[in-house]
Amino acid sequence: MELYFLGTGAGVPSTERNVSALALRLDKPHETWLFDCGEATQHQLLKSPLSPMKIRRVFITHLHGDHVFGLPGFLSSRSLQGDANHRVTVYGPTGIEEFLRHALRHTSTHVRYGFDIVEFDPTTLHTTHLYEDDHIAITFAPLRHGIPTVGFLIREKEHPGALDAEKLRALGVAPGPQYGELKRGIDVTLEDGRTLKPDDFRKPNTPGRRVAILGDTAPCKEAVALARDADVLVHESTFSARDAAHAHQHHHSTARDAAQTALAANAKRLILTHISPRYHERANDPADLPIQLLQEARSIFANTDLAYDHFHAVIPRIVPSASH
Amino acid sequence: MELYFLGTGAGVPSTERNVSALALRLDKPHETWLFDCGEATQHQLLKSPLSPMKIRRVFITHLHGDHVFGLPGFLSSRSLQGDANHRVTVYGPTGIEEFLRHALRHTSTHVRYGFDIVEFDPTTLHTTHLYEDDHIAITFAPLRHGIPTVGFLIREKEHPGALDAEKLRALGVAPGPQYGELKRGIDVTLEDGRTLKPDDFRKPNTPGRRVAILGDTAPCKEAVALARDADVLVHESTFSARDAAHAHQHHHSTARDAAQTALAANAKRLILTHISPRYHERANDPADLPIQLLQEARSIFANTDLAYDHFHAVIPRIVPSASH
């Protein structure tokens, strides 16, 4: 599992940051998921190691232009470049279908691969699995922004512990069909009459990873709830605490807000993104340097990074130490 | 007058060329006009010396995505960046208004400056002045593409010749109010009784420049007619002559087609653009190097350039030598 930040700026592109897009590379299914698709996301993909063909699902947090204007072009170019077998499903708030269908129809764009749009009600409090398989599930929850906006929670399922071959060998049980039976959860009776219980020979399950990817939001308890115990929380940090009034007036968060949410949620790691172009590397006022946002957040939540375009972060699976 | 190429690729962006957009910087009015606005045109502007605020008119040749997907983002960002006084008018074929209004409405985008859309019938053979003032006029004509597509002709008006001060001084007429009268076309009677006719003391008029900017098109007589005697013809050159069958099947031109049109139209200069990503600098087959397109066109029409992103071309006003 790896997060790859394609666009980390807010509102308008700058020479330093493109508008919003974030890719999540999964192990199982072997797919890349895209979160938001601001203008020129396909251009950012060209400069990245990611393959547009691997992107099979696109999740949209809200319908502001800096989060969706790249969608028609991405879908269109992917159609001209690749084979027709790789379906794409776009999941987005009510209105995404009309936006996309209009953009494609008015421009006579024919998407040659299978292409589905799944609309959801971004205000519902009912937990909905947008996608779920044996390995992973994704849900969303409403946040607080000027228009209906959600955050997504990607939850990997528990990974069953491997068979403890060492322990079995110590009991004189050699690898063979009995190992398979124990793996499948079947009791095994040895020739000497001893019965082996599968649970006694399985290493502890590895907990699934939790990744919370939030759309634009003012600080709110919904964000804390969604990010509860997340391995990684991706949170907007449009402004610094100095500009908190302005941030909240526009339903955005400061770096401090994001850090407080991460702390309250007991998240393990925080990655800040959606940075206003006000903060940039050549700013005259040191308070407007991006590192200011990072330091502000780290003073509250140490394990924080400030994303930049093409920043990527591997999310390790934490294998618990044996408990018996 | 200067042409500035923002995007010179066809269909999809590549690492070498962005999709279509071309700026024309005018002296009078002191405006920049934009021709087509593919995705990430605003990003290309960020890397150029052009100011989005100076762009007051946008002309769209046709409604394919690679020519319009950058329009909502360009208009939206321009609203967030600049002052509200600089109106923009978008001129485009029937359908452009619905495309734009939908894109802006679905994304809750409020454009804060005055913003007009002028739709035209791209199939009409009736000459329409989309814009005209004392200095310049722009018309369009239908071309031949898969969907209704036009070319634009920008015609500068004749520049009245300056007063020939040298000739007046030789007659003993010193600079003063009489110069002003002659300039305004009024006969002047000197103290010695001689009468001066304004036409005898005006240098020859400078002819206005003609710039033809064509949308995607198969070679056609309409293109030749539109480009007649143009100082500069900007013509698509999606493919090379080797791929002529493919080009024509998709209603596109080869470099050879473009050169033949320039020759037939008696244009002074040809600039090729809208290059398929098939032709690129690292191509293995030398036939797929962009210079192949250039050489192919130059063998027919010598004064040809192959545009690349950020290529710019000043169009000089040709001052005629004195005829008397």
PDB file of all heavy atoms in Angstrom, chain A residues 12-13 18 39-40 42-43 46 63 69 73 77 80 98-99 102 106-107, chain B residues 12-13 18 39-40 42-43 46 63 69 73 77 98-99 102 106-107:
ATOM      1  N   VAL A  12      -6.162  26.755  -6.982  1.00  0.00           N
ATOM      2  CA  VAL A  12      -5.587  27.030  -8.299  1.00  0.00           C
ATOM      3  C   VAL A  12      -4.210  26.378  -8.384  1.00  0.00           C
ATOM      4  O   VAL A  12      -3.514  26.259  -7.374  1.00  0.00           O
ATOM      5  CB  VAL A  12      -5.451  28.550  -8.569  1.00  0.00           C
ATOM      6  CG1 VAL A  12      -6.802  29.235  -8.558  1.00  0.00           C
ATOM      7  CG2 VAL A  12      -4.528  29.202  -7.550  1.00  0.00           C
ATOM      8  N   PRO A  13      -3.816  25.977  -9.580  1.00  0.00           N
ATOM      9  CA  PRO A  13      -2.462  25.433  -9.716  1.00  0.00           C
ATOM     10  C   PRO A  13      -1.434  26.538  -9.542  1.00  0.00           C
ATOM     11  O   PRO A  13      -1.710  27.706  -9.814  1.00  0.00           O
ATOM     12  CB  PRO A  13      -2.427  24.907 -11.153  1.00  0.00           C
ATOM     13  CG  PRO A  13      -3.494  25.644 -11.881  1.00  0.00           C
ATOM     14  CD  PRO A  13      -4.538  26.002 -10.860  1.00  0.00           C
ATOM     15  N   ASN A  18       0.258  21.309  -8.078  1.00  0.00           N
ATOM     16  CA  ASN A  18      -0.962  21.210  -8.869  1.00  0.00           C
ATOM     17  C   ASN A  18      -2.163  21.053  -7.930  1.00  0.00           C
ATOM     18  O   ASN A  18      -2.005  20.798  -6.740  1.00  0.00           O
ATOM     19  CB  ASN A  18      -0.905  20.036  -9.850  1.00  0.00           C
ATOM     20  CG  ASN A  18      -1.985  20.185 -10.923  1.00  0.00           C
ATOM     21  OD1 ASN A  18      -2.330  21.321 -11.296  1.00  0.00           O
ATOM     22  ND2 ASN A  18      -2.537  19.090 -11.405  1.00  0.00           N
ATOM     23  N   GLU A  39      -7.667  19.508 -12.456  1.00  0.00           N
ATOM     24  CA  GLU A  39      -7.153  19.713 -13.817  1.00  0.00           C
ATOM     25  C   GLU A  39      -5.666  19.344 -13.891  1.00  0.00           C
ATOM     26  O   GLU A  39      -4.889  19.684 -13.003  1.00  0.00           O
ATOM     27  CB  GLU A  39      -7.349  21.181 -14.236  1.00  0.00           C
ATOM     28  CG  GLU A  39      -6.907  21.420 -15.680  1.00  0.00           C
ATOM     29  CD  GLU A  39      -7.172  22.854 -16.150  1.00  0.00           C
ATOM     30  OE1 GLU A  39      -7.824  23.623 -15.418  1.00  0.00           O
ATOM     31  OE2 GLU A  39      -6.706  23.185 -17.253  1.00  0.00           O
ATOM     32  N   ALA A  40      -5.318  18.674 -14.978  1.00  0.00           N
ATOM     33  CA  ALA A  40      -3.922  18.290 -15.257  1.00  0.00           C
ATOM     34  C   ALA A  40      -3.435  17.138 -14.379  1.00  0.00           C
ATOM     35  O   ALA A  40      -2.240  16.902 -14.274  1.00  0.00           O
ATOM     36  CB  ALA A  40      -2.962  19.473 -15.157  1.00  0.00           C
ATOM     37  N   GLN A  42      -3.891  14.150 -15.309  1.00  0.00           N
ATOM     38  CA  GLN A  42      -3.296  13.239 -16.304  1.00  0.00           C
ATOM     39  C   GLN A  42      -1.877  13.690 -16.662  1.00  0.00           C
ATOM     40  O   GLN A  42      -1.016  12.863 -16.974  1.00  0.00           O
ATOM     41  CB  GLN A  42      -4.171  13.112 -17.552  1.00  0.00           C
ATOM     42  CG  GLN A  42      -4.397  14.389 -18.315  1.00  0.00           C
ATOM     43  CD  GLN A  42      -4.999  14.119 -19.714  1.00  0.00           C
ATOM     44  OE1 GLN A  42      -4.681  13.133 -20.352  1.00  0.00           O
ATOM     45  NE2 GLN A  42      -5.874  15.004 -20.166  1.00  0.00           N
ATOM     46  N   HIS A  43      -1.615  14.987 -16.578  1.00  0.00           N
ATOM     47  CA  HIS A  43      -0.260  15.477 -16.835  1.00  0.00           C
ATOM     48  C   HIS A  43       0.682  15.050 -15.704  1.00  0.00           C
ATOM     49  O   HIS A  43       1.831  14.699 -15.929  1.00  0.00           O
ATOM     50  CB  HIS A  43      -0.260  17.002 -16.956  1.00  0.00           C
ATOM     51  CG  HIS A  43      -1.109  17.525 -18.087  1.00  0.00           C
ATOM     52  ND1 HIS A  43      -2.480  17.436 -18.094  1.00  0.00           N
ATOM     53  CD2 HIS A  43      -0.771  18.145 -19.246  1.00  0.00           C
ATOM     54  CE1 HIS A  43      -2.955  17.975 -19.212  1.00  0.00           C
ATOM     55  NE2 HIS A  43      -1.947  18.413 -19.922  1.00  0.00           N
ATOM     56  N   LEU A  46       1.685  11.530 -16.123  1.00  0.00           N
ATOM     57  CA  LEU A  46       2.742  11.367 -17.125  1.00  0.00           C
ATOM     58  C   LEU A  46       4.127  11.508 -16.498  1.00  0.00           C
ATOM     59  O   LEU A  46       5.102  10.940 -16.988  1.00  0.00           O
ATOM     60  CB  LEU A  46       2.607  12.437 -18.218  1.00  0.00           C
ATOM     61  CG  LEU A  46       1.592  12.225 -19.340  1.00  0.00           C
ATOM     62  CD1 LEU A  46       1.521  13.468 -20.214  1.00  0.00           C
ATOM     63  CD2 LEU A  46       1.985  11.013 -20.187  1.00  0.00           C
ATOM     64  N   LEU A  63     -17.541  18.343  -5.326  1.00  0.00           N
ATOM     65  CA  LEU A  63     -17.598  18.797  -6.716  1.00  0.00           C
ATOM     66  C   LEU A  63     -17.041  20.200  -6.931  1.00  0.00           C
ATOM     67  O   LEU A  63     -17.534  20.929  -7.796  1.00  0.00           O
ATOM     68  CB  LEU A  63     -19.049  18.704  -7.228  1.00  0.00           C
ATOM     69  CG  LEU A  63     -19.593  17.280  -7.367  1.00  0.00           C
ATOM     70  CD1 LEU A  63     -21.018  17.292  -7.903  1.00  0.00           C
ATOM     71  CD2 LEU A  63     -18.706  16.452  -8.292  1.00  0.00           C
ATOM     72  N   PHE A  69     -11.996  19.002 -12.308  1.00  0.00           N
ATOM     73  CA  PHE A  69     -11.869  19.473 -13.695  1.00  0.00           C
ATOM     74  C   PHE A  69     -10.928  18.604 -14.540  1.00  0.00           C
ATOM     75  O   PHE A  69     -10.911  18.708 -15.757  1.00  0.00           O
ATOM     76  CB  PHE A  69     -11.419  20.940 -13.741  1.00  0.00           C
ATOM     77  CG  PHE A  69     -12.533  21.943 -13.544  1.00  0.00           C
ATOM     78  CD1 PHE A  69     -12.254  23.218 -13.028  1.00  0.00           C
ATOM     79  CD2 PHE A  69     -13.841  21.651 -13.882  1.00  0.00           C
ATOM     80  CE1 PHE A  69     -13.259  24.163 -12.853  1.00  0.00           C
ATOM     81  CE2 PHE A  69     -14.865  22.594 -13.699  1.00  0.00           C
ATOM     82  CZ  PHE A  69     -14.567  23.845 -13.187  1.00  0.00           C
ATOM     83  N   GLY A  73     -10.810  14.841 -18.987  1.00  0.00           N
ATOM     84  CA  GLY A  73      -9.582  14.644 -19.755  1.00  0.00           C
ATOM     85  C   GLY A  73      -8.880  13.347 -19.397  1.00  0.00           C
ATOM     86  O   GLY A  73      -8.382  12.633 -20.269  1.00  0.00           O
ATOM     87  N   SER A  77      -8.332  10.589 -22.285  1.00  0.00           N
ATOM     88  CA  SER A  77      -6.986  10.195 -22.715  1.00  0.00           C
ATOM     89  C   SER A  77      -6.739   8.714 -22.441  1.00  0.00           C
ATOM     90  O   SER A  77      -6.124   8.015 -23.250  1.00  0.00           O
ATOM     91  CB  SER A  77      -5.925  11.019 -21.985  1.00  0.00           C
ATOM     92  OG  SER A  77      -6.024  12.364 -22.367  1.00  0.00           O
ATOM     93  N   LEU A  80      -7.941   6.814 -25.254  1.00  0.00           N
ATOM     94  CA  LEU A  80      -7.142   6.868 -26.477  1.00  0.00           C
ATOM     95  C   LEU A  80      -5.847   6.078 -26.340  1.00  0.00           C
ATOM     96  O   LEU A  80      -5.260   5.657 -27.327  1.00  0.00           O
ATOM     97  CB  LEU A  80      -6.824   8.326 -26.830  1.00  0.00           C
ATOM     98  CG  LEU A  80      -8.035   9.160 -27.277  1.00  0.00           C
ATOM     99  CD1 LEU A  80      -7.687  10.631 -27.349  1.00  0.00           C
ATOM    100  CD2 LEU A  80      -8.541   8.672 -28.627  1.00  0.00           C
ATOM    101  N   GLU A  98     -23.980  13.887 -13.706  1.00  0.00           N
ATOM    102  CA  GLU A  98     -24.402  14.921 -14.648  1.00  0.00           C
ATOM    103  C   GLU A  98     -23.195  15.722 -15.130  1.00  0.00           C
ATOM    104  O   GLU A  98     -23.063  16.025 -16.316  1.00  0.00           O
ATOM    105  CB  GLU A  98     -25.432  15.842 -13.981  1.00  0.00           C
ATOM    106  CG  GLU A  98     -26.634  16.107 -14.859  1.00  0.00           C
ATOM    107  CD  GLU A  98     -27.553  17.186 -14.264  1.00  0.00           C
ATOM    108  OE1 GLU A  98     -27.325  17.635 -13.117  1.00  0.00           O
ATOM    109  OE2 GLU A  98     -28.488  17.586 -14.956  1.00  0.00           O
ATOM    110  N   PHE A  99     -22.308  16.064 -14.208  1.00  0.00           N
ATOM    111  CA  PHE A  99     -21.099  16.802 -14.576  1.00  0.00           C
ATOM    112  C   PHE A  99     -20.313  16.055 -15.649  1.00  0.00           C
ATOM    113  O   PHE A  99     -19.945  16.593 -16.695  1.00  0.00           O
ATOM    114  CB  PHE A  99     -20.215  17.028 -13.332  1.00  0.00           C
ATOM    115  CG  PHE A  99     -18.812  17.456 -13.664  1.00  0.00           C
ATOM    116  CD1 PHE A  99     -18.541  18.743 -14.101  1.00  0.00           C
ATOM    117  CD2 PHE A  99     -17.747  16.557 -13.581  1.00  0.00           C
ATOM    118  CE1 PHE A  99     -17.240  19.139 -14.434  1.00  0.00           C
ATOM    119  CE2 PHE A  99     -16.457  16.940 -13.910  1.00  0.00           C
ATOM    120  CZ  PHE A  99     -16.201  18.230 -14.338  1.00  0.00           C
ATOM    121  N   HIS A 102     -22.245  15.369 -19.100  1.00  0.00           N
ATOM    122  CA  HIS A 102     -22.315  16.586 -19.912  1.00  0.00           C
ATOM    123  C   HIS A 102     -20.973  16.888 -20.562  1.00  0.00           C
ATOM    124  O   HIS A 102     -20.894  17.180 -21.742  1.00  0.00           O
ATOM    125  CB  HIS A 102     -22.739  17.782 -19.053  1.00  0.00           C
ATOM    126  CG  HIS A 102     -24.220  17.918 -18.947  1.00  0.00           C
ATOM    127  ND1 HIS A 102     -24.857  18.157 -17.751  1.00  0.00           N
ATOM    128  CD2 HIS A 102     -25.203  17.842 -19.870  1.00  0.00           C
ATOM    129  CE1 HIS A 102     -26.162  18.215 -17.954  1.00  0.00           C
ATOM    130  NE2 HIS A 102     -26.399  18.024 -19.224  1.00  0.00           N
ATOM    131  N   HIS A 106     -20.868  16.864 -24.622  1.00  0.00           N
ATOM    132  CA  HIS A 106     -20.674  18.121 -25.363  1.00  0.00           C
ATOM    133  C   HIS A 106     -19.404  18.092 -26.209  1.00  0.00           C
ATOM    134  O   HIS A 106     -19.282  18.846 -27.163  1.00  0.00           O
ATOM    135  CB  HIS A 106     -20.593  19.304 -24.392  1.00  0.00           C
ATOM    136  CG  HIS A 106     -21.908  19.636 -23.758  1.00  0.00           C
ATOM    137  ND1 HIS A 106     -23.069  19.793 -24.471  1.00  0.00           N
ATOM    138  CD2 HIS A 106     -22.246  19.840 -22.460  1.00  0.00           C
ATOM    139  CE1 HIS A 106     -24.069  20.073 -23.648  1.00  0.00           C
ATOM    140  NE2 HIS A 106     -23.589  20.099 -22.418  1.00  0.00           N
ATOM    141  N   THR A 107     -18.452  17.254 -25.825  1.00  0.00           N
ATOM    142  CA  THR A 107     -17.187  17.214 -26.558  1.00  0.00           C
ATOM    143  C   THR A 107     -17.081  15.961 -27.429  1.00  0.00           C
ATOM    144  O   THR A 107     -15.996  15.624 -27.899  1.00  0.00           O
ATOM    145  CB  THR A 107     -16.000  17.249 -25.570  1.00  0.00           C
ATOM    146  OG1 THR A 107     -16.150  16.180 -24.626  1.00  0.00           O
ATOM    147  CG2 THR A 107     -15.960  18.564 -24.807  1.00  0.00           C
TER     148      THR A 107
ATOM    149  N   VAL B  12      -4.002  14.013 -26.948  1.00  0.00           N
ATOM    150  CA  VAL B  12      -3.646  13.771 -25.547  1.00  0.00           C
ATOM    151  C   VAL B  12      -2.352  14.511 -25.223  1.00  0.00           C
ATOM    152  O   VAL B  12      -1.509  14.691 -26.094  1.00  0.00           O
ATOM    153  CB  VAL B  12      -3.458  12.263 -25.253  1.00  0.00           C
ATOM    154  CG1 VAL B  12      -4.743  11.481 -25.497  1.00  0.00           C
ATOM    155  CG2 VAL B  12      -2.337  11.679 -26.102  1.00  0.00           C
ATOM    156  N   PRO B  13      -2.198  14.933 -23.986  1.00  0.00           N
ATOM    157  CA  PRO B  13      -0.927  15.566 -23.624  1.00  0.00           C
ATOM    158  C   PRO B  13       0.192  14.528 -23.618  1.00  0.00           C
ATOM    159  O   PRO B  13      -0.051  13.347 -23.391  1.00  0.00           O
ATOM    160  CB  PRO B  13      -1.177  16.081 -22.205  1.00  0.00           C
ATOM    161  CG  PRO B  13      -2.298  15.259 -21.671  1.00  0.00           C
ATOM    162  CD  PRO B  13      -3.131  14.854 -22.850  1.00  0.00           C
ATOM    163  N   ASN B  18       1.766  19.868 -24.792  1.00  0.00           N
ATOM    164  CA  ASN B  18       0.428  19.884 -24.221  1.00  0.00           C
ATOM    165  C   ASN B  18      -0.599  19.971 -25.351  1.00  0.00           C
ATOM    166  O   ASN B  18      -0.269  20.270 -26.489  1.00  0.00           O
ATOM    167  CB  ASN B  18       0.235  21.045 -23.241  1.00  0.00           C
ATOM    168  CG  ASN B  18      -0.996  20.809 -22.366  1.00  0.00           C
ATOM    169  OD1 ASN B  18      -1.339  19.661 -22.066  1.00  0.00           O
ATOM    170  ND2 ASN B  18      -1.693  21.869 -21.991  1.00  0.00           N
ATOM    171  N   GLU B  39      -6.902  21.121 -21.848  1.00  0.00           N
ATOM    172  CA  GLU B  39      -6.611  20.939 -20.423  1.00  0.00           C
ATOM    173  C   GLU B  39      -5.192  21.402 -20.102  1.00  0.00           C
ATOM    174  O   GLU B  39      -4.248  21.109 -20.826  1.00  0.00           O
ATOM    175  CB  GLU B  39      -6.788  19.463 -20.041  1.00  0.00           C
ATOM    176  CG  GLU B  39      -6.561  19.227 -18.553  1.00  0.00           C
ATOM    177  CD  GLU B  39      -6.826  17.792 -18.116  1.00  0.00           C
ATOM    178  OE1 GLU B  39      -7.311  16.986 -18.920  1.00  0.00           O
ATOM    179  OE2 GLU B  39      -6.543  17.499 -16.935  1.00  0.00           O
ATOM    180  N   ALA B  40      -5.064  22.093 -18.979  1.00  0.00           N
ATOM    181  CA  ALA B  40      -3.766  22.566 -18.459  1.00  0.00           C
ATOM    182  C   ALA B  40      -3.215  23.748 -19.248  1.00  0.00           C
ATOM    183  O   ALA B  40      -2.030  24.059 -19.142  1.00  0.00           O
ATOM    184  CB  ALA B  40      -2.739  21.449 -18.383  1.00  0.00           C
ATOM    185  N   GLN B  42      -4.013  26.707 -18.431  1.00  0.00           N
ATOM    186  CA  GLN B  42      -3.657  27.630 -17.344  1.00  0.00           C
ATOM    187  C   GLN B  42      -2.292  27.276 -16.752  1.00  0.00           C
ATOM    188  O   GLN B  42      -1.561  28.167 -16.292  1.00  0.00           O
ATOM    189  CB  GLN B  42      -4.742  27.694 -16.267  1.00  0.00           C
ATOM    190  CG  GLN B  42      -5.029  26.402 -15.539  1.00  0.00           C
ATOM    191  CD  GLN B  42      -5.883  26.620 -14.281  1.00  0.00           C
ATOM    192  OE1 GLN B  42      -5.739  27.633 -13.587  1.00  0.00           O
ATOM    193  NE2 GLN B  42      -6.771  25.698 -13.996  1.00  0.00           N
ATOM    194  N   HIS B  43      -1.950  25.990 -16.772  1.00  0.00           N
ATOM    195  CA  HIS B  43      -0.627  25.590 -16.282  1.00  0.00           C
ATOM    196  C   HIS B  43       0.455  26.078 -17.240  1.00  0.00           C
ATOM    197  O   HIS B  43       1.535  26.514 -16.808  1.00  0.00           O
ATOM    198  CB  HIS B  43      -0.546  24.073 -16.159  1.00  0.00           C
ATOM    199  CG  HIS B  43      -1.544  23.486 -15.194  1.00  0.00           C
ATOM    200  ND1 HIS B  43      -2.904  23.488 -15.423  1.00  0.00           N
ATOM    201  CD2 HIS B  43      -1.375  22.885 -13.995  1.00  0.00           C
ATOM    202  CE1 HIS B  43      -3.521  22.900 -14.408  1.00  0.00           C
ATOM    203  NE2 HIS B  43      -2.618  22.523 -13.522  1.00  0.00           N
ATOM    204  N   LEU B  46       1.153  29.658 -16.671  1.00  0.00           N
ATOM    205  CA  LEU B  46       2.006  29.887 -15.496  1.00  0.00           C
ATOM    206  C   LEU B  46       3.486  29.835 -15.871  1.00  0.00           C
ATOM    207  O   LEU B  46       4.313  30.470 -15.222  1.00  0.00           O
ATOM    208  CB  LEU B  46       1.749  28.804 -14.440  1.00  0.00           C
ATOM    209  CG  LEU B  46       0.549  28.940 -13.513  1.00  0.00           C
ATOM    210  CD1 LEU B  46       0.404  27.683 -12.669  1.00  0.00           C
ATOM    211  CD2 LEU B  46       0.694  30.166 -12.614  1.00  0.00           C
ATOM    212  N   LEU B  63     -15.448  21.694 -30.607  1.00  0.00           N
ATOM    213  CA  LEU B  63     -15.711  21.227 -29.243  1.00  0.00           C
ATOM    214  C   LEU B  63     -15.110  19.862 -28.918  1.00  0.00           C
ATOM    215  O   LEU B  63     -15.702  19.108 -28.149  1.00  0.00           O
ATOM    216  CB  LEU B  63     -17.221  21.224 -28.979  1.00  0.00           C
ATOM    217  CG  LEU B  63     -17.884  22.605 -28.950  1.00  0.00           C
ATOM    218  CD1 LEU B  63     -19.376  22.487 -28.661  1.00  0.00           C
ATOM    219  CD2 LEU B  63     -17.224  23.483 -27.902  1.00  0.00           C
ATOM    220  N   PHE B  69     -11.164  21.350 -22.753  1.00  0.00           N
ATOM    221  CA  PHE B  69     -11.239  20.877 -21.364  1.00  0.00           C
ATOM    222  C   PHE B  69     -10.517  21.807 -20.382  1.00  0.00           C
ATOM    223  O   PHE B  69     -10.693  21.696 -19.174  1.00  0.00           O
ATOM    224  CB  PHE B  69     -10.713  19.447 -21.230  1.00  0.00           C
ATOM    225  CG  PHE B  69     -11.702  18.365 -21.621  1.00  0.00           C
ATOM    226  CD1 PHE B  69     -11.256  17.130 -22.072  1.00  0.00           C
ATOM    227  CD2 PHE B  69     -13.072  18.572 -21.526  1.00  0.00           C
ATOM    228  CE1 PHE B  69     -12.155  16.116 -22.416  1.00  0.00           C
ATOM    229  CE2 PHE B  69     -13.978  17.570 -21.871  1.00  0.00           C
ATOM    230  CZ  PHE B  69     -13.522  16.343 -22.324  1.00  0.00           C
ATOM    231  N   GLY B  73     -11.423  25.531 -15.985  1.00  0.00           N
ATOM    232  CA  GLY B  73     -10.362  25.808 -15.013  1.00  0.00           C
ATOM    233  C   GLY B  73      -9.697  27.149 -15.257  1.00  0.00           C
ATOM    234  O   GLY B  73      -9.390  27.885 -14.311  1.00  0.00           O
ATOM    235  N   SER B  77      -9.826  29.921 -12.339  1.00  0.00           N
ATOM    236  CA  SER B  77      -8.605  30.400 -11.687  1.00  0.00           C
ATOM    237  C   SER B  77      -8.415  31.890 -11.916  1.00  0.00           C
ATOM    238  O   SER B  77      -7.991  32.625 -11.025  1.00  0.00           O
ATOM    239  CB  SER B  77      -7.384  29.648 -12.219  1.00  0.00           C
ATOM    240  OG  SER B  77      -7.455  28.294 -11.849  1.00  0.00           O
ATOM    241  N   GLU B  98     -23.515  25.682 -23.466  1.00  0.00           N
ATOM    242  CA  GLU B  98     -24.032  24.622 -22.607  1.00  0.00           C
ATOM    243  C   GLU B  98     -22.872  23.891 -21.920  1.00  0.00           C
ATOM    244  O   GLU B  98     -22.922  23.600 -20.724  1.00  0.00           O
ATOM    245  CB  GLU B  98     -24.867  23.640 -23.442  1.00  0.00           C
ATOM    246  CG  GLU B  98     -26.185  23.286 -22.788  1.00  0.00           C
ATOM    247  CD  GLU B  98     -26.906  22.157 -23.528  1.00  0.00           C
ATOM    248  OE1 GLU B  98     -26.443  21.738 -24.615  1.00  0.00           O
ATOM    249  OE2 GLU B  98     -27.930  21.693 -23.006  1.00  0.00           O
ATOM    250  N   PHE B  99     -21.817  23.621 -22.683  1.00  0.00           N
ATOM    251  CA  PHE B  99     -20.636  22.952 -22.111  1.00  0.00           C
ATOM    252  C   PHE B  99     -20.097  23.733 -20.916  1.00  0.00           C
ATOM    253  O   PHE B  99     -19.878  23.204 -19.830  1.00  0.00           O
ATOM    254  CB  PHE B  99     -19.539  22.790 -23.177  1.00  0.00           C
ATOM    255  CG  PHE B  99     -18.189  22.448 -22.598  1.00  0.00           C
ATOM    256  CD1 PHE B  99     -17.917  21.167 -22.133  1.00  0.00           C
ATOM    257  CD2 PHE B  99     -17.189  23.413 -22.497  1.00  0.00           C
ATOM    258  CE1 PHE B  99     -16.676  20.858 -21.575  1.00  0.00           C
ATOM    259  CE2 PHE B  99     -15.951  23.109 -21.943  1.00  0.00           C
ATOM    260  CZ  PHE B  99     -15.695  21.834 -21.476  1.00  0.00           C
ATOM    261  N   HIS B 102     -22.643  24.284 -17.837  1.00  0.00           N
ATOM    262  CA  HIS B 102     -22.767  23.062 -17.041  1.00  0.00           C
ATOM    263  C   HIS B 102     -21.542  22.842 -16.167  1.00  0.00           C
ATOM    264  O   HIS B 102     -21.651  22.541 -14.993  1.00  0.00           O
ATOM    265  CB  HIS B 102     -22.964  21.847 -17.961  1.00  0.00           C
ATOM    266  CG  HIS B 102     -24.394  21.612 -18.327  1.00  0.00           C
ATOM    267  ND1 HIS B 102     -24.796  21.322 -19.608  1.00  0.00           N
ATOM    268  CD2 HIS B 102     -25.520  21.632 -17.585  1.00  0.00           C
ATOM    269  CE1 HIS B 102     -26.104  21.178 -19.631  1.00  0.00           C
ATOM    270  NE2 HIS B 102     -26.576  21.359 -18.425  1.00  0.00           N
ATOM    271  N   HIS B 106     -22.140  22.864 -12.162  1.00  0.00           N
ATOM    272  CA  HIS B 106     -21.995  21.620 -11.391  1.00  0.00           C
ATOM    273  C   HIS B 106     -20.901  21.728 -10.339  1.00  0.00           C
ATOM    274  O   HIS B 106     -20.884  20.973  -9.370  1.00  0.00           O
ATOM    275  CB  HIS B 106     -21.674  20.447 -12.320  1.00  0.00           C
ATOM    276  CG  HIS B 106     -22.832  20.017 -13.174  1.00  0.00           C
ATOM    277  ND1 HIS B 106     -24.090  19.775 -12.679  1.00  0.00           N
ATOM    278  CD2 HIS B 106     -22.923  19.804 -14.511  1.00  0.00           C
ATOM    279  CE1 HIS B 106     -24.904  19.424 -13.657  1.00  0.00           C
ATOM    280  NE2 HIS B 106     -24.220  19.440 -14.788  1.00  0.00           N
ATOM    281  N   THR B 107     -19.951  22.615 -10.564  1.00  0.00           N
ATOM    282  CA  THR B 107     -18.833  22.731  -9.624  1.00  0.00           C
ATOM    283  C   THR B 107     -18.960  23.988  -8.755  1.00  0.00           C
ATOM    284  O   THR B 107     -17.997  24.390  -8.107  1.00  0.00           O
ATOM    285  CB  THR B 107     -17.497  22.781 -10.394  1.00  0.00           C
ATOM    286  OG1 THR B 107     -17.559  23.854 -11.352  1.00  0.00           O
ATOM    287  CG2 THR B 107     -17.235  21.474 -11.134  1.00  0.00           C
TER     288      THR B 107
END
